[in-house]
Amino acid sequence: MKIIIVGAGVLGVSVARQLALAGEDVLLLDQRGPGTGTSSTTFAWINSYRRLDPDYHRLGLAGMEEHGRLAEQLGGARTYFPSGALQWANSSSEQWLADNVERLRALGYPAHFVTPDEATWIAGDLRIPATITSIAHFPSEGYVLPDLFVGNLLKDAERHGAKCAIGRVVAIADNPDGVSVTLAGGEVLRGDRVVLAAGRWSERLAAQAGIDVPMVTETGRGSQTVGLLGYARSPELDLRCVIHSPGLNLRPSADGHTVLQALDLNAHVDPEDPPSPDGDIARTLTQRFSALLPDPDERPRIDLRIGFRSLPADGHTIAGYTSGQSRVYCLVSHSGITLAPILGRLVATEITTDQGQDLLRAFRPTRFIGIRRSDTEVAQHATRLGEQ
């Protein structure tokens, strides 16, 4: 089959690799280049922490397990780190953390409380403030380096025959005799299947083919889709795992750098007027990071970057065709980094064999048919420990 994949983020590239491994003719299209959209501005925490729906939790667990298998198959630099994660709570969030640990342990998800000394040994170069009253450890979680991860997936896909090209898709047609994709320059590409993995652009492109993929599309100041990350270039830290603290989330990056996330600051971020390096948001992020450093007087150097989350309206992954006759496979998820390996394998299997995969049955786009949008939308502002 000739399969055109629209969107070369982590989901599109994962599917492209698996389809290429299966011997399919794969063309991967992206309007800017592989991994340059949401995949480039993600906290990249691998987990199934806050998936309250049982089907979504099972899919998250499968995604975590698949990362380990995939890491053994991919070449290139190491990109997946099963480091575990720590959550630090103060008096106002202590009960929230305790409730989550109890819930997860009842599901068999590894979680336990640790002492400050144990947490310091697990975390590495960080100072735990005196205001922290409770610390939980989640040893099965981890993180990836997203840019390298997408790059390694793409190299393996191309090694098995997939092709990647720059092209802005303006229309998708789902016809009885096949599918066609129209590019901004007027070129029309034809194939047997289209995989729509265009992240936050999925709703608009799906509508071109008469498909309803309800997404959160608002990108203004404080929108649910808007997320700010800080990239600390200095000081270089020996940070050994993902950290969630009451005011700041941290994960290791390459070369001793650190990725920072302060969820409450997202409400003040305006993509049309990005925060300046010496503005209030930057100062707040710097102060919170400095308070956790071994030397609190050290002045960090932090670059800011705004990202846009890919949010299906009901908060759950969308994976599948909208009908038995459709040749357009829709794929979008807020949890792209965690789920990319398992979605890549399952989606490729469904496309090549026409056999539905049990883990994806709850996530079909057909669930939106006949349902008012207002009845599907859920609030997805991430503001508390583990909500991102």
Side-chain angles (χ1 to χ4, degrees):
M1 280 191 294
K2 172 67 175 292
I3 302 169
I4 302 169
I5 300 176
V6 180
V10 68
L11 292 181
V13 174
S14 296
V15 174
R17 174 183 175 272
Q18 291 287 351
L19 288 170
L21 285 171
E24 304 297 344
D25 181 0
V26 179
L27 174 62
L28 187 62
L29 293 172
D30 197 272
Q31 61 182 339
R32 295 189 183 94
T36 56
T38 298
S39 298
S40 66
T41 51
T42 170
F43 191 64
W45 168 37
I46 306 301
N47 73 95
S48 191
Y49 179 81
R50 287 291 293 171
R51 290 174 175 78
L52 303 182
D53 177 83
D55 291 319
Y56 209 15
H57 182 64
R58 283 192 291 272
L59 186 61
L61 292 177
M64 295 169 71
E65 294 171 0
E66 195 76 12
H67 266 284
R69 288 190 285 268
L70 180 60
E72 296 177 356
Q73 302 169 13
L74 282 181
R78 183 185 181 196
T79 62
Y80 166 60
F81 299 83
S83 63
L86 290 170
Q87 291 200 14
W88 306 349
N90 56 23
S91 58
S92 64
S93 54
E94 186 174 11
Q95 189 58 53
W96 162 268
L97 179 57
D99 291 344
N100 280 319
V101 169
E102 181 179 1
R103 174 183 60 84
L104 289 168
R105 292 182 68 175
L107 294 170
Y109 192 87
H112 60 273
F113 288 100
V114 295
T115 67
D117 286 344
E118 290 171 329
T120 299
W121 182 85
I122 294 167
D125 276 349
L126 284 184
R127 185 170 59 89
I128 301 175
T131 54
I132 297 302
T133 59
S134 180
I135 304 172
H137 184 216
F138 304 88
S140 64
E141 297 178 354
Y143 67 95
V144 302
L145 303 179
D147 293 345
L148 287 174
F149 183 50
V150 172
N152 285 352
L153 286 168
L154 180 60
K155 287 178 184 176
D156 204 47
E158 292 177 329
R159 188 159 47 243
H160 289 88
K163 297 179 178 62
C164 185
I166 303 295
R168 184 167 68 86
V169 174
V170 296
I172 297 172
D174 190 358
N175 305 310
D177 58 345
V179 289
S180 64
V181 169
T182 303
L183 303 184
E187 183 181 2
V188 178
L189 306 174
R190 291 180 170 80
D192 301 294
R193 297 286 189 278
V194 164
V195 178
L196 179 55
R200 63 191 180 92
W201 294 276
S202 294
E203 180 177 31
R204 175 176 56 82
L205 290 173
Q208 297 283 346
I211 296 170
D212 185 22
V213 178
M215 302 278 296
V216 180
T217 57
E218 172 61 40
T219 59
R221 178 186 175 93
S223 167
Q224 298 175 82
T225 63
V226 176
L228 179 72
L229 291 179
Y231 293 82
R233 311 305 178 187
S234 67
E236 293 184 6
L237 295 180
D238 178 26
L239 183 61
R240 300 171 191 162
C241 71
V242 178
I243 304 290
H244 306 271
S245 77
L248 194 66
N249 299 328
L250 310 92
R251 73 154 169 87
S253 189
D255 302 321
H257 298 168
T258 308
V259 178
L260 310 173
Q261 181 187 59
L263 296 172
D264 61 308
L265 298 183
N266 291 338
H268 309 288
V269 174
D270 184 354
E272 295 298 320
D273 184 20
S276 65
D278 56 354
D280 290 342
I281 289 176
R283 281 194 295 272
T284 299
L285 199 64
T286 298
Q287 289 168 358
R288 293 182 186 181
F289 186 39
S290 296
L292 305 182
L293 296 175
D295 179 3
D297 294 326
E298 187 164 11
R299 175 77 176 177
R301 181 163 60 90
I302 303 172
D303 300 329
L304 302 180
R305 189 185 302 172
I306 296 174
F308 297 94
R309 300 181 177 97
S310 299
L311 298 179
D314 65 358
H316 289 175
T317 292
I318 298 170
Y321 301 105
T322 53
S323 72
Q325 294 74 43
S326 177
R327 292 174 172 83
V328 178
Y329 194 107
C330 300
L331 181 63
V332 62
S333 179
H334 171 41
S335 301
I337 292 291
T338 292
L339 299 180
I342 190 64
L343 289 176
R345 178 166 64 82
L346 296 179
V347 170
T349 299
E350 291 197 330
I351 291 171
T352 57
T353 68
D354 287 327
Q355 298 295 314
Q357 301 298 293
D358 288 341
L359 277 171
L360 298 183
R361 293 191 190 281
F363 304 103
R364 305 306 189 194
T366 50
R367 69 183 186 265
F368 299 111
I369 295 176
I371 305 296
R372 293 182 304 177
R373 181 168 184 133
S374 59
D375 292 335
T376 67
E377 291 180 329
V378 297
Q380 297 182 67
H381 277 105
T383 58
R384 303 177 68 175
L385 282 171
E387 284 189 337
Q388 71 271 36

